[in-house]
């Protein structure tokens, strides 16, 4: 029996349970041929939840029913090649906000556990951008 390689998975994880009813997280992608379970653990270990007062305020406006987040990590098999991370947030059946960034040099050359910092950065940016909608009096869910 060979280990399952990282790819799209139909399972979801419940995260950020201390804020409202939490978030349903779907993880998919590939990470240089590593098993999906290793990628999954790295993503779960790096996800940032809303924490500042403005982030929580923005999140609470979309918290029921619990929103859905999709994080996709793509790193080619060839070590050192450019890879990407994207995080997209959906609520009430609609796209809310997304962030995308290139993997850091460290993440492009190391095992999946090294991607935790990149995951944390992309999800922190997502929450900061969502909170900025509150400060700019913009709708949390775009029209």
């Amino acid at each position: 029996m060979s280990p399952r390689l990282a790819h799209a998975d139909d399972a979801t994880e419940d995260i950020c349970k201390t804020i409202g009813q939490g978030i349903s997280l779907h993880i998919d992608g590939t990470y240089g041929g590593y098993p999906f379970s290793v990628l999954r653990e790295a993503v779960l270990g790096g996800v940032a939840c809303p924490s500042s007062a403005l982030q929580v305020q923005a999140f609470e406006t979309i918290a029921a029913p619990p929103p859905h987040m999709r994080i996709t990590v793509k790193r080619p098999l060839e070590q050192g090649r450019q890879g990407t991370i994207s995080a997209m947030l959906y609520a009430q059946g609609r796209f809310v906000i997304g962030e995308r960034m290139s993997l850091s040099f460290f993440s492009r050359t190391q095992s999946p556990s090294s991607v935790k910092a990149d995951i944390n950065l992309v999800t922190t940016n997502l929450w900061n951008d969502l909170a900025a909608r509150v400060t700019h009096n913009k709708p949390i869910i775009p029209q």
Side-chain angles (χ1 to χ4, degrees):
M1 179 194 278
S2 65
R4 191 174 76 160
L5 295 181
H7 66 283
D9 190 338
D10 292 332
T12 59
E13 304 285 340
D14 292 326
I15 60 168
C16 305
K17 295 181 214 172
T18 59
I19 302 169
Q21 296 176 336
I23 300 169
S24 221
L25 174 66
H26 180 88
I27 302 166
D28 66 4
T30 58
Y31 199 92
Y34 282 87
F36 181 78
S37 60
V38 177
L39 175 62
R40 180 184 154 278
E41 288 304 315
V43 171
L44 290 173
V47 171
C49 295
S51 57
S52 75
L54 278 175
Q55 291 173 356
V56 171
Q57 179 184 348
F59 179 79
E60 286 176 346
T61 65
I62 60 169
H68 178 89
M69 181 181 283
R70 175 180 219 94
I71 294 181
T72 303
V73 179
K74 293 185 180 182
R75 192 195 106 192
L77 273 170
E78 300 83 21
Q79 197 171 33
R81 298 262 329 256
Q82 189 71 19
T84 59
I85 297 174
S86 68
M88 296 181 290
L89 184 66
Y90 301 87
Q92 301 165 11
R94 299 182 54 204
F95 174 76
V96 176
I97 195 167
E99 293 287 331
R100 180 181 167 100
M101 64 180 250
S102 296
L103 290 174
S104 65
F105 175 77
F106 185 69
S107 292
R108 291 191 309 255
T109 61
Q110 302 297 315
S111 70
S113 64
S114 64
V115 81
K116 289 178 185 177
D118 289 353
I119 297 293
N120 188 272
L121 180 60
V122 78
T123 52
T124 297
N125 288 344
L126 183 140
W127 298 124
N128 286 336
D129 290 350
L130 189 67
R133 291 180 181 175
V134 172
T135 60
H136 294 99
N137 294 319
K138 295 193 177 198
I140 299 303
I141 299 176
Q143 301 297 329

